[in-house]
Amino acid sequence: MAETHPHPSPPPQGGGGRRAAFPVSDHCDGQRFHNVHDRTTKTLRDVWRWRRTAQPIPWPRRVEDPPQPPPPRLGADRIAATFIGHASFLVQLGGRCVLLDPIWSPRCSPLRFAGPLRVRAPGQALEALPGCDLLLVSHNHYDHLDLPTLRRVRQRWSPPAVTGLGNARHLRKAGIQGARELDWWQSAEVAGLRITYVPAQHFSARTPWDRNCSLWGGFVLEAPGACVYFAGDTGWCPHIAEIAARFPRIDLALLPIGAYEPRFFMRTQHMDPAEAVEAHRILRPRRSIGMHFGTFAGLTDEAIDAPEAWLAEACARQGVTNFTTLPFGGTCTLSSATAAAAG
């Protein structure tokens, strides 16, 4: 069972006599966070190599997806995930509605006139959702922590929020007060669910000056008879096996499959579809759903349809039949273990 010590706690002394902002650990020096398995820091030479050799495959200016029925509110005997787009989901378990990394904005950028542009409308209107009892934000990148969307969520539902260390200050800019900050492997009971913040191999930044000043990670959501893993952004790394060991019965895994090209630049921070299938095999969920693809142009060099095509190929090659994607706006449902046992 994961630890249950949500931040804040009395901060220890950092190096050089400075008072640490965060607990010192294998992934934090008290002021900044770092990965424990591989580095994600890129040099100017790396950036120059990408820009010099990049051959991005153009995306369409607009994709029109067929409309999907709005998700109904389900009882505690069902598990459901509704794919809004990119890494945004409405997850239902234990009779609760949880929004994960919601972004309804036209760009994932600090600027309204520049930055990666949405080519697909959100799969469901925010107003069409059956509720939001809890908000989860995995890390502070603009495609995961979108202030305009968070303001709309607060105005409509005012849900409690959970995020990683150092991210509550960003949520406060959207008027969300009192967000629970968790370190890796810490858990909190919120809105009738048990939420554990789990490790990922990635990084954080919203400006050129705050790189890795807040923590990144994923979430495991638990209710009686139900367990959902949301990976957030992560590269392939031993954290996957560590999560599988601590949570041996996962019903639904939401795994990233896009933003992987060029591989030399993206490898340590974003899984490719073949790695996502390997993660699925290690985690052994009843079902996995691919995410983080086909939504915002300019985040990556691969074609808009490449992640789904590679995922289907990798699943076929490895004999995996329970790892797919959803239509944008589509919902998948599973029975909880409690309901299955009762049946």
Side-chain angles (χ1 to χ4, degrees), residues 34-35 78 89 137 167 180 218 225 228 280 285 295 309 311 342-343:
H34 54 266
N35 290 292
R78 306 293 288 173
F89 282 88
V137 177
N167 288 308
R180 300 286 291 274
V228 176
H280 165 86
T295 306
L311 176 65

Side-chain angles (χ1 to χ4, degrees), residues 4 24 27 33 44 52-53 160 165 224 232 236 255 258 271 279 307 311 326 331:
T4 56
V24 176
H27 56 277
F33 299 91
L44 289 177
R52 180 171 51 84
T53 62
L165 294 178
W236 172 259
L255 301 176
M271 289 192 290
L311 176 65
L326 290 175
T331 300

Side-chain angles (χ1 to χ4, degrees), residues 18 21-35 204-205 207-216:
R18 284 195 305 168
F22 306 107
V24 176
S25 67
D26 66 344
H27 56 277
C28 184
D29 63 7
Q31 298 292 330
R32 292 181 186 266
F33 299 91
H34 54 266
N35 290 292
S204 66
T207 74
W209 307 280
D210 70 342
R211 187 179 179 96
N212 295 348
C213 289
S214 62
L215 189 54
W216 53 91

Side-chain angles (χ1 to χ4, degrees), residues 62-81:
R62 190 71 176 171
V63 176
E64 298 294 338
D65 294 301
Q68 301 292 324
R73 184 150 194 149
L74 302 177
D77 61 337
R78 306 293 288 173
I79 304 165

Side-chain angles (χ1 to χ4, degrees), residues 22 140 147 163 166-174 176 179 181 206 210 213-214:
F22 306 107
N140 74 359
L147 292 178
T163 188
N167 288 308
R169 63 190 178 95
H170 299 300
L171 273 61
R172 286 195 293 271
K173 296 175 184 176
I176 297 172
E181 291 188 345
R206 286 180 77 83
D210 70 342
C213 289
S214 62

Side-chain angles (χ1 to χ4, degrees), residues 1 17 24 41 55 75 83 85 107 128 131 144 197 201 206 217 221 253 273 284 289-290 296 317 339:
M1 189 62 72
V24 176
T41 303
Q55 295 181 322
F83 184 43
R107 293 185 186 273
H144 295 258
Y197 195 55
Q201 184 168 282
R206 286 180 77 83
L221 297 69
R284 301 184 305 277
I289 296 172
F296 289 102
R317 186 166 54 249

